[in-house]
Amino acid sequence: MEKQILGFINYLRKAGLPISVSETVDCFQALTHVSVFDKQAFKLALSITLVKDSVHLPIFEELFNLYFFGSAAQKAQELGIKPKDLNENFTYERPKNVEEFLERLDAAIENQDLNELSQLAEVAIDIQVDADQFSLIPGNLPGSGGSGSTAGEVLKKVNTLRALRQEEKNTGKIRIIEGLDSWLQPAEEEQMLNFFRAAVGEALQKRELNNRGLDLIERRIPNVNLQETDIITANYTQLEEMERAIKPLAKKLASRIAQKRKQARKGKVDIRSTLRRSLNTGGVPLDLRFKYPRPTKPELYLLCDVSISMTGFSAFALQLVYSIQNMFSKVKSFAFIDNTVEITDFFTNTDFNEALYRINREAKVVTGDGRSDYGKALVSFYQKYAPKIGSNSHIIILGDARNNRRPSEAWVLRELKSQVRRIYWLNPEPGNQWDTGDSIIGDYAKYCHSVYECRNIQQLSQVIPKLA
Amino acid sequence: MQNSAVLPFGPNSDQSKIIDEIKEGMKENGYLCSDTIANVLYLAEKLQKPVLVEGPAGVGKTELAKALSGMKKAELIRLQCYEGLDEAKALYEWNYKKQLLHIQAMQGKDLDWEKIEENIFDEDFLLSRPLLKAITSDKPTVLLIDEIDKVDLEFEALLLEILSDFQISIPELGTIKAKNPPFVILTSNNTRELTEALKRRCLFLFLDYPDMDRELEIVKLKVPELPEHLAKQIVRVVRLIRSMDIKKSPSISETLDWARAIFYLGVDSLDRQTVETTLNVLLKYQGDMERVTQSLRSGLRV
Ligand SMILES: Nc1ncnc2c1ncn2[C@@H]1O[C@H](COP(=O)(O)OP(=O)(O)O)[C@@H](O)[C@H]1O
Ligand SMILES: [Mg+2]
C-alpha cells in the first residue's frame, strides 16, 4: 500500500505538483486516521495534504480516478501491490438496465448532480441498439461499447431514448411548463446536458485508449501538466485544453494587478511638501502631504507574429496581456507575418478566437510568400506607426525571431529604443535554440531591455505582470 | 513506514461516527458541513495541523471557524488581516507607558539599572495581541487568521513558527510554547499566491459554491420559516444566475438575504415580477441586474 501511494505521489509530481517530503509524511499520517473503505475520506486525506493550489485540483481528480480505478489499478493489483478490497469498495453501482439509466439520468439532471452525470456518461457509451431494442451491456468488457462512436452520436441515442420515454409517460396529456419554470427548466437542462456531453466525450476517449491497451496515466500526464507543456510544439487537443486554462488565469492576473495598484497608490509622506505646508500652521505639520508613485501609465504597443507556428503562442500571450491592460493608459496591437498591420479594433467586443481568425483572414499581414520576415515587418511598423509613438511607451514583441535567413533590419529597434521607455521581447522557443538555424534573436536582443523565454503558460503568466 | 502486506491504514470504525458527530455539532452551531468539510475538520484535529481555507467571498470560510469554536466550546480568537498589519498589532507589543511609569516609580529607590531592565521586560509589561493570546491561553481556543492574502509576504514569515510549532519567540523573553495548541483556521480569497512555506504547514481546503442539495439545506437551516418549494426555486434561480457571465456572482450570503426578502414579501411562489423587483438584493451591479432581467424577459412565456 505504501508503494502504491508513493507511486501515486510520483505521478502527481510528474504532473507538476510541488509535493515536498513533509507533505508526503503528512499524507501517510492522515491515512492512518481514515478507513480505506471510505472512498471519500481516503481521497480527501490525500488531497488536503498533497494539493495546495486550487489550480491543481482537477489534475488530482483525474489522476486519482485513473490511478485507483483505471488500467493502472488493475496492473498494480496483478502485481499484488494493492489490497483488492480497495478497488471493489470504490466501484460505482451501475444502472442495471436502460430504464434505470434513464430514470437516474433524469434525477441527476433535476438535482444538478454532476458526479452522477459523469458516472452515467461512462454508462451511456455502453447502450447498444439491436433491431430497435436498446440494451445496456456490462462495461469494461474488452471492446465493449464506445469505440467508433462519437459523443454526438451517444448523446443523440440518449436523447431519442428520453423523448420516447417522455412520450410514453404523457400519452394523451400535454404538459405545459409555466411561469418561472419556463425560464429555469430549459436553461438548467441545457446546462446539464452540455456537461453530460463533455463527460461522454471524456469517457469515450478513455475507453478508446484503454481498449488499445495503452497506459492511460502515462498518456494523460503531458495533457494534464498543461502549464509546463511547450506551446509551440503542442498538438491540437493540448492547445484546446490550454485555451480553456487561459481564461481563469487571465482573470487571476487581472484581480492581482488590481490589488497591486491599490497597494501602490498608498504613497509615502513627502517631507519637503509637508514642511512647506507647515509654515501656515506655525511649523506644526498638521497637513501631511504624500508622494504618489509615478502617476502616468505608459502606452503599450504589442507586435505579434501570427504565422502558423506562432498563432497559439500569440493568442495566449495576447489574452494575458489584455488582462493587465489597466496598467497602461492605452493598448495598441499589431500583427505581422512579413507586413505589420494594426489590429487593435479587432479586439473590441468580440471573443479572442474569433478576433484572431478574422485577423488572419482580413488583415493584410502577408505580402510575400507567407513566411515570416521580421526585417520587413519591423520596417513597415517603423514607417507607418513610429512617428506617433510617444516617449512614455512600452513595446512588446511576440515571436521566435526565425527570419528565414532574411535581413534583420535590427536598426529599427535601435532607433525605437532611443525613442521609447521599454522594449521587451517574448520568445516561445527554449533558450538553447535561440540563435540556432535561422533564429536571429541575438541581433534584436541587443536593443531590447529584456528578452524572456516564454515556452509555456506558466512562464507566460510569470513574465506578463513584469511588463507594466 | 513499515512495509506490510496487511492494510497498514486502520479501517477505523470510529471515523464515520466522529464525522457524523462533527456534522451534528456544527449544525447545532448554525453551520452545515459537507462530508468534505467534516472530514477536513476531523483530520486537522487528528494531525494537529492548521487548515487553510480558500474560496470566493461569501462561501462560508469565516463562518466555519466561528461555528467550530462554538462546537468545541473554545474561545474564538480572530486576527483580521489587512494591508499594513504588523507584528505589533498581530503578535505582541511592549506596553511602553507602563514601562515608563515603572521606571519613574523606581527612581530614588536603590535599584541598579540592570535590575529595572529585567523587570520591565517581563510578561507583565507585554500587551498580547491575537497571536500571542492564542498561544498563551489556558483554555482551548480556535485561532482564526482571516483573509491572510491581504497581508504582505513578510508577514507570512512571522506566522511560520506559530503554525508549525505552536510557539512564539520573543527576543527579550525567549520562546513561549502553547499550553493548549489552538485549532488554527486561515482563510484566503486568493488575491495573491501564498508562499510554499506557509502552504506546506497547512491542510488545504478549497471551498466553492455548494452543490444544489447543500445550498438548499443551508437555506432551510437559516431561514426555516420559508416554505420548501420556495426555497428550492430560490436556489435554482441563484444557481442559474451564477452560470451567467456577470461581474459579481451571488454567494451564499446573498442567497440567504434574498430568501429572507422573499419570505417577508409573503408570496406563494416565485414569479417574474417578484424576481425582478428583488434582484437588487441578489446582485450588486446595475449591469448584472439588466443582464438577468433581459434573460428573464426573453426566456419567459407569458
Ligand atoms: N455551510 C454553511 N452553513 C450555514 N451558513 C452558511 C454556510 N456557508 C455560508 N453560510 C452563510 O453565508 C454567510 C457568508 O459566509 P462567510 O463565512 O462570511 O463567507 P466568507 O468568509 O467565505 O466570505 C454567513 O453569514 C453564513 O450565514
Ligand atoms: Mg470572511
Side-chain angles (χ1 to χ4, degrees):
Chain A
M1 189 70 175
E2 281 98 348
K3 257 193 222 156
Q4 199 193 4
I5 305 285
L6 285 174
F8 179 59
I9 292 176
N10 255 342
Y11 276 122
L12 290 175
R13 286 209 179 108
K14 261 200 216 170
L17 274 68
I19 298 171
S20 67
V21 176
S22 69
E23 283 160 324
T24 307
V25 172
D26 286 346
C27 172
F28 277 93
Q29 280 245 309
L31 285 171
T32 61
H33 297 288
V34 302
S35 151
V36 287
F37 300 108
D38 180 343
K39 171 178 175 182
Q40 209 192 359
F42 174 73
K43 183 169 157 189
L44 209 71
L46 296 176
S47 88
I48 65 173
T49 50
L50 301 174
V51 186
K52 304 293 173 75
D53 188 334
S54 55
V55 173
H56 293 144
L57 281 172
I59 303 176
F60 174 86
E61 183 76 28
E62 167 156 18
L63 286 183
F64 180 86
N65 286 331
L66 286 175
Y67 189 82
F68 292 103
F69 308 110
S71 57
Q74 280 161 20
K75 212 196 287 169
Q77 204 169 324
E78 283 159 23
L79 293 173
I81 297 172
K82 188 170 183 334
K84 66 180 196 314
D85 324 73
L86 186 61
N87 208 21
E88 277 170 11
N89 275 282
F90 281 9
T91 44
Y92 167 74
E93 197 176 319
R94 287 166 53 98
K96 283 166 206 62
N97 48 43
V98 177
E99 185 57 29
E100 191 189 338
F101 168 81
L102 290 171
E103 251 166 48
R104 278 166 62 171
L105 182 62
D106 277 353
I109 289 174
E110 193 188 325
N111 299 324
Q112 309 190 7
D113 185 344
L114 301 183
N115 277 334
E116 171 83 346
L117 281 176
S118 314
Q119 300 279 13
L120 288 174
E122 292 189 18
V123 179
I125 60 184
D126 293 326
I127 295 177
Q128 270 199 338
V129 197
D130 319 298
D132 277 356
Q133 281 287 315
F134 290 92
S135 58
L136 197 54
I137 59 164
N140 299 327
L141 291 182
S144 70
S147 41
S149 47
T150 66
E153 282 163 12
V154 173
L155 207 72
K156 214 162 126 193
K157 200 164 61 185
V158 171
N159 276 337
T160 314
L161 284 167
R162 293 185 77 214
L164 280 173
R165 186 157 167 276
Q166 198 51 258
E167 223 170 79
E168 267 170 38
K169 269 170 104 185
N170 297 337
T171 35
K173 289 175 279 175
I174 301 171
R175 233 175 106 231
I176 302 175
I177 309 174
E178 289 175 315
L180 205 62
D181 262 1
S182 66
W183 175 59
L184 277 172
Q185 224 177 52
E188 286 174 346
E189 179 146 336
E190 186 184 323
Q191 244 182 43
M192 291 303 121
L193 285 175
N194 278 341
F195 178 86
F196 184 67
R197 184 198 184 98
V200 168
E202 296 243 321
L204 281 172
Q205 195 192 2
K206 277 189 210 165
R207 182 69 63 87
E208 181 75 27
L209 290 171
N210 230 349
N211 285 348
R212 281 198 266 143
L214 296 172
D215 189 340
L216 223 49
I217 292 199
E218 293 290 352
R219 299 272 303 194
R220 290 292 287 192
I221 279 187
N223 270 1
V224 148
N225 189 6
L226 282 178
Q227 298 266 327
E228 290 173 35
T229 305
D230 279 8
I231 299 170
I232 47 173
T233 52
N235 63 32
Y236 184 72
T237 336
Q238 287 172 327
L239 282 177
E240 259 188 342
E241 289 188 31
M242 285 180 195
E243 172 71 40
R244 251 179 282 147
I246 277 283
K247 279 217 178 82
L249 207 68
K251 250 187 162 166
K252 203 161 153 185
L253 273 187
S255 84
R256 295 224 166 121
I257 291 284
Q259 194 77 7
K260 260 215 197 115
R261 279 193 64 77
K262 235 172 64 198
Q263 284 170 8
R265 236 179 281 135
K266 268 193 322 189
K268 285 204 174 81
V269 174
D270 182 341
I271 306 234
R272 251 210 236 173
S273 166
T274 303
L275 286 182
R276 220 179 298 124
R277 274 274 160 144
S278 74
L279 293 181
N280 298 335
T281 49
V284 183
L286 281 183
D287 186 12
L288 288 186
R289 312 298 296 169
F290 293 93
K291 252 187 225 160
Y292 290 99
R294 210 171 59 214
T296 44
K297 304 180 193 173
E299 294 177 3
L300 177 66
Y301 294 83
L302 258 172
L303 274 74
C304 326
D305 183 344
V306 291
S307 61
I308 299 288
S309 60
M310 288 296 112
T311 20
F313 170 71
S314 288
F316 298 146
L318 270 167
Q319 280 191 58
L320 292 180
V321 169
Y322 267 80
S323 74
I324 62 159
Q325 60 178 309
N326 285 340
M327 298 296 281
F328 303 98
S329 59
K330 127 175 127 182
V331 180
K332 284 182 174 285
S333 6
F334 303 83
F336 64 85
I337 290 179
D338 64 13
N339 182 42
T340 307
V341 180
E342 177 161 2
I343 54 169
T344 313
D345 289 342
F346 285 87
F347 293 114
T348 44
N349 287 330
T350 36
D351 98 23
F352 251 90
N353 285 324
E354 165 144 6
L356 284 169
Y357 177 66
R358 279 184 47 219
I359 287 162
N360 267 317
R361 234 177 7 173
E362 295 168 23
K364 281 194 123 11
V365 287
V366 185
T367 55
D369 60 4
R371 290 190 295 163
S372 297
D373 186 335
Y374 281 74
K376 263 180 79 186
L378 281 173
V379 171
S380 70
F381 175 75
Y382 190 69
Q383 286 169 346
K384 278 188 274 185
Y385 307 106
K388 286 176 242 155
I389 299 180
S391 62
N392 185 17
S393 300
H394 292 186
I395 294 178
I396 301 174
I397 302 168
L398 311 173
D400 59 3
R402 294 213 168 263
N403 208 30
N404 299 299
R405 311 205 179 277
R406 291 160 173 165
S408 75
E409 314 281 9
W411 61 269
V412 172
L413 287 190
R414 189 185 64 226
E415 291 300 309
L416 285 172
K417 191 180 183 187
S418 62
Q419 183 179 339
V420 302
R421 175 172 301 158
R422 286 272 180 275
I423 300 182
Y424 298 116
W425 193 301
L426 311 191
N427 191 332
E429 284 197 326
N432 61 12
Q433 288 170 26
W434 294 4
D435 294 316
T436 63
D438 61 342
S439 161
I440 50 167
I441 185 73
D443 292 4
Y444 296 126
K446 276 185 273 188
Y447 306 113
C448 294
H449 293 86
S450 295
V451 179
Y452 295 103
E453 178 195 86
C454 292
R455 300 163 64 163
N456 52 38
I457 293 185
Q458 188 176 9
Q459 286 181 334
L460 260 179
S461 57
Q462 282 162 357
V463 165
I464 291 209
K466 295 187 195 154
L467 303 178
Chain B
M1 277 162 250
Q2 82 260 40
N3 205 345
S4 56
V6 289
L7 289 181
F9 308 126
N12 199 330
S13 57
D14 289 346
Q15 174 209 346
S16 66
K17 214 177 84 209
I18 300 177
I19 298 289
D20 286 343
E21 281 167 13
I22 292 177
K23 281 192 190 163
E24 201 45 48
M26 291 292 278
K27 193 169 170 186
E28 280 162 16
N29 285 280
Y31 196 88
L32 259 176
C33 282
S34 60
D35 287 341
T36 303
I37 297 176
N39 269 298
V40 171
L41 294 179
Y42 163 78
L43 285 173
E45 175 98 63
K46 288 282 178 200
L47 301 185
Q48 291 221 352
K49 289 215 126 207
V51 182
L52 169 62
V53 190
E54 187 190 293
V59 291
K61 300 185 294 294
T62 304
E63 195 70 18
L64 172 67
K66 289 187 187 165
L68 180 70
S69 76
M71 176 177 76
K72 301 185 74 63
K73 305 210 172 27
E75 186 191 355
L76 178 73
I77 297 180
R78 178 174 182 172
L79 174 64
Q80 174 63 51
C81 298
Y82 52 88
E83 276 173 49
L85 174 67
D86 60 13
E87 210 169 324
K89 299 272 170 24
L91 255 175
Y92 65 88
E93 197 170 9
W94 288 107
N95 189 342
Y96 76 93
K97 281 186 193 147
K98 197 170 163 192
Q99 287 174 329
L100 278 179
L101 287 173
H102 185 79
I103 293 172
Q104 275 177 346
M106 288 298 118
Q107 262 169 9
K109 294 190 184 167
D110 212 10
L111 278 175
D112 56 27
W113 172 246
E114 259 173 44
K115 190 74 198 154
I116 297 181
E117 190 179 271
E118 202 174 289
N119 279 344
I120 60 171
F121 287 109
D122 187 77
E123 274 184 58
D124 290 344
F125 293 90
L126 211 54
L127 285 175
S128 285
R129 303 298 184 204
L131 295 179
L132 184 60
K133 233 189 194 156
I135 291 289
T136 50
S137 174
D138 293 321
K139 288 169 293 183
T141 52
V142 169
L143 171 61
L144 165 62
I145 303 178
D146 213 4
E147 309 191 359
I148 175 81
D149 52 330
K150 292 238 177 88
V151 291
D152 332 317
L153 276 172
E154 301 83 70
F155 188 85
E156 273 185 35
L158 210 85
L159 290 175
L160 297 180
E161 192 186 7
I162 301 175
L163 295 181
S164 49
D165 305 321
F166 298 110
Q167 65 180 36
I168 294 177
S169 299
I170 298 178
E172 298 87 348
L173 283 179
T175 302
I176 302 182
K177 200 155 173 57
K179 299 170 196 149
N180 272 308
F183 197 126
V184 187
I185 305 259
L186 301 101
T187 79
S188 159
N189 287 326
N190 194 23
T191 55
R192 78 172 166 82
E193 209 81 66
L194 304 176
T195 59
E196 296 289 330
L198 181 100
K199 292 198 280 190
R200 266 207 297 279
R201 285 164 171 79
C202 303
L203 305 177
F204 181 74
L205 169 64
F206 182 67
L207 265 194
D208 211 342
Y209 300 119
D211 59 23
M212 188 154 88
D213 277 351
R214 202 163 69 88
E215 190 155 15
L216 190 56
E217 288 299 313
I218 295 174
V219 173
K220 287 199 286 196
L221 181 75
K222 294 276 176 170
V223 199
E225 55 279 23
L226 192 75
E228 162 114 27
H229 74 279
L230 263 180
K232 174 124 195 205
Q233 275 190 316
I234 284 169
V235 170
R236 283 173 67 196
V237 171
V238 170
R239 294 177 64 82
L240 190 58
I241 290 178
R242 266 186 212 139
S243 75
M244 294 179 179
D245 186 18
I246 55 175
K247 221 161 138 181
K248 168 81 180 66
S249 281
S251 69
I252 302 179
S253 358
E254 276 98 33
T255 311
L256 293 174
D257 290 344
W258 198 43
R260 291 190 188 105
I262 301 283
F263 174 74
Y264 286 119
L265 282 180
V267 293
D268 295 330
S269 147
L270 270 190
D271 57 18
R272 189 182 81 190
Q273 184 113 44
T274 322
V275 175
E276 264 186 44
T277 49
T278 53
L279 262 187
N280 59 338
V281 181
L282 206 51
L283 299 167
K284 298 282 167 274
Y285 293 97
Q286 190 59 35
D288 289 352
M289 283 185 242
E290 278 161 18
R291 167 92 186 67
V292 173
T293 309
Q294 199 187 15
S295 150
L296 205 53
R297 290 194 180 159
S298 62
L300 268 186
R301 260 177 258 166
V302 260

